Amino acid sequence: MKDYVASILPAEDIKIREPLDRYTSFRTGGEADCMLLVNDAEQLGKLLKYMSITGNDYFLLGNGTNLLVSDRGYDGTVIKFGPGMSRIHVDGERVYVQAGALLSQTAKRAMEEGLSGLEFASGIPGSIGGGLVMNAGAYGGEMSQIVESVTVMNESGEIMELDCDTMEFGYRTSVIKNRAFVVLEAALHLQRGDKADIQAKMEEFAARRKEKQPLEYPSAGSIFKRPEGYFAGKLIMDSGMRGYRVGGAQVSEKHCGFIINTGNATSEDIAELMAEVQDRVKERFRVSLEPEIVRLGKF
């Protein structure tokens, strides 16, 4: 594998035994056997085809904001998009954005162009690719409302375009979540608006986040999906778990839907705390909380 990868990527984009805690919002996790930084679709296609043929395990890493990496690391290859896969282009009311760009950067660019519809994403720390996979949303908005088409690549390196209906968007899910597709780019259809009004709305959302969310601590945002008919944070609070700790991991006192790293948490601390929260809520309310975050490696 080493020789083949070296024929595709420059040496500086191949990282061996790379610590993953620096790439996750939880700031926990061990090392990946190998991390590859990809800057164009040709590189990605060759790597995916190789991984498929050889059966090597790989994981596509976005901005690491919805991820819990095992303390023992990941015995496989992590593929991460570099700057060459993070471009944003505006044409009229459409924003063409590559998967590696951040949602917050894209929302800011839309605001600068006087385009409305992406304000909800201004405070979401993930990438466009991850946001499409999870149908990211906040404050009444979500990706499904603005996506016109998504360009993806399959494991054979073939590129195809999916329209919004084909994406099968749902609550924190899409067709990509359960298929071997990698997001390359999306076309977002926005609406003309007043730049000052758009900026004011983004500032309002930022103030609400700061007031209600523990942004001063490493976390992965809302740790559990919203159960139908309930709010996960309220269930956790009403279960008496507010402020509950396992090692350096704690249920946030500010927002019980968040688990925070108070400074020295391990991924095992976080995983154990998640399990205890699920058990308590199940015991008290007969409601099963489903994690929103993805786990990588062996726990």
Side-chain angles (χ1 to χ4, degrees):
M1 175 177 171
K2 182 179 178 181
D3 291 341
Y4 181 75
V5 170
S7 72
I8 300 172
L9 302 177
E12 62 268 23
D13 291 340
I14 303 171
K15 302 177 184 295
I16 306 300
R17 303 305 307 171
E18 183 72 1
L20 293 177
D21 57 353
R22 64 185 63 173
Y23 297 97
T24 69
S25 58
F26 263 133
R27 297 293 179 259
T28 65
E31 297 175 335
D33 280 355
C34 178
M35 175 178 282
L36 306 177
L37 299 181
V38 175
N39 279 289
D40 61 49
E42 183 180 358
Q43 291 177 343
L44 178 64
K46 290 179 179 178
L47 289 174
L48 292 183
K49 191 171 183 179
Y50 176 79
M51 297 293 181
S52 178
I53 292 172
T54 60
N56 286 335
D57 290 334
Y58 70 91
F59 180 81
L60 194 74
L61 176 65
N63 202 38
T65 56
N66 204 37
L67 182 66
L68 183 63
V69 177
S70 168
D71 298 317
R72 290 181 279 180
Y74 175 57
D75 296 330
T77 299
V78 169
I79 299 175
K80 183 171 177 60
F81 288 158
M85 297 288 285
S86 304
R87 290 186 289 271
I88 304 170
H89 172 68
V90 178
D91 183 5
E93 295 182 350
R94 287 173 175 80
V95 177
Y96 299 91
V97 55
Q98 292 183 304
L102 297 181
L103 286 160
S104 56
Q105 291 174 335
T106 310
K108 182 180 179 183
R109 177 66 183 278
M111 179 270 292
E112 292 170 347
E113 297 285 344
L115 293 174
S116 177
L118 199 53
E119 294 92 331
F120 73 88
S122 60
I124 300 177
S127 66
I128 285 289
L132 290 166
V133 173
M134 296 294 293
N135 189 22
Y139 300 115
E142 60 184 22
M143 296 302 292
S144 65
Q145 298 169 354
I146 57 173
V147 168
E148 188 167 81
S149 65
V150 179
T151 304
V152 301
M153 179 181 286
N154 66 18
E155 286 185 307
S156 299
E158 299 169 333
I159 295 176
M160 61 194 76
E161 187 173 291
L162 310 179
D163 62 21
C164 189
D165 289 339
T166 308
M167 283 292 292
E168 297 179 8
F169 285 118
Y171 174 62
R172 300 299 174 263
T173 191
S174 73
V175 69
I176 301 173
K177 192 173 182 183
N178 300 310
R179 298 285 293 275
F181 291 154
V182 175
V183 177
L184 298 180
E185 185 179 21
L188 311 178
H189 191 185
L190 305 179
Q191 305 295 324
R192 284 288 167 195
D194 181 79
K195 182 178 175 179
D197 290 343
I198 296 168
Q199 185 172 9
K201 194 171 184 180
M202 290 168 62
E203 289 173 353
E204 177 195 348
F205 289 161
R208 289 165 66 178
R209 279 190 172 92
K210 186 175 181 180
E211 177 187 358
K212 296 180 180 181
Q213 298 178 8
L215 303 181
E216 64 273 26
Y217 291 99
S219 78
S222 297
I223 206 80
F224 298 106
K225 295 180 181 180
R226 183 179 65 244
E228 188 173 354
Y230 299 91
F231 291 99
K234 188 173 190 311
L235 288 172
I236 296 167
M237 181 176 66
D238 292 346
S239 296
M241 298 292 281
R242 184 176 185 175
Y244 190 90
R245 298 178 67 129
V246 172
Q250 181 182 31
V251 174
S252 169
E253 296 185 11
K254 196 172 189 179
H255 189 316
C256 291
F258 285 59
I259 287 178
I260 59 174
N261 179 352
T262 60
N264 62 344
T266 64
S267 292
E268 194 61 41
D269 290 341
I270 296 166
E272 184 178 337
L273 180 53
M274 288 175 62
E276 293 196 21
V277 167
Q278 287 174 299
D279 289 345
R280 182 75 67 86
V281 170
K282 182 73 171 178
E283 177 186 342
R284 295 286 179 89
F285 298 104
R286 297 292 185 265
V287 175
S288 296
L289 292 179
E290 182 182 351
E292 188 168 310
I293 64 171
V294 175
R295 296 191 188 197
L296 180 64
K298 298 177 181 177
F299 283 82

